Amino acid sequence: MGKGLMIMLVVFLIIAIIGWVLNVLSKVPEEKKKKYRKYLLVFYGIFLIMQGAVAIYDQA
């Protein structure tokens, strides 16, 4: 039961952080939003490429 409670608290904490960040970003000018979005997509693309490379390497 303790492990389940810990997982639930961690999930709630992550959701609260995401909500706070979205609330802060809603007040940011549109130019900065585009810049943040660009960096997020570049980071996400690099992450997916690395994940695919690791999956291919593990299969070989």
Side-chain angles (χ1 to χ4, degrees), residues 1-48:
M1 182 170 158
K3 189 175 182 180
L5 183 62
M6 180 67 165
I7 291 171
M8 185 182 74
L9 290 175
V10 168
V11 169
F12 283 163
L13 180 66
I14 291 171
I15 291 173
I17 291 170
I18 290 171
W20 178 77
V21 168
L22 289 175
N23 192 20
V24 168
L25 286 179
S26 68
K27 300 171 186 170
V28 173
E30 192 63 34
E31 295 87 26
K32 281 193 177 184
K33 284 184 190 178
K34 287 182 183 179
K35 181 179 167 186
Y36 293 154
R37 205 173 291 134
K38 179 179 127 184
Y39 289 138
L40 175 67
L41 290 176
V42 168
F43 171 75
Y44 188 61
I46 291 171
F47 173 75
L48 287 178

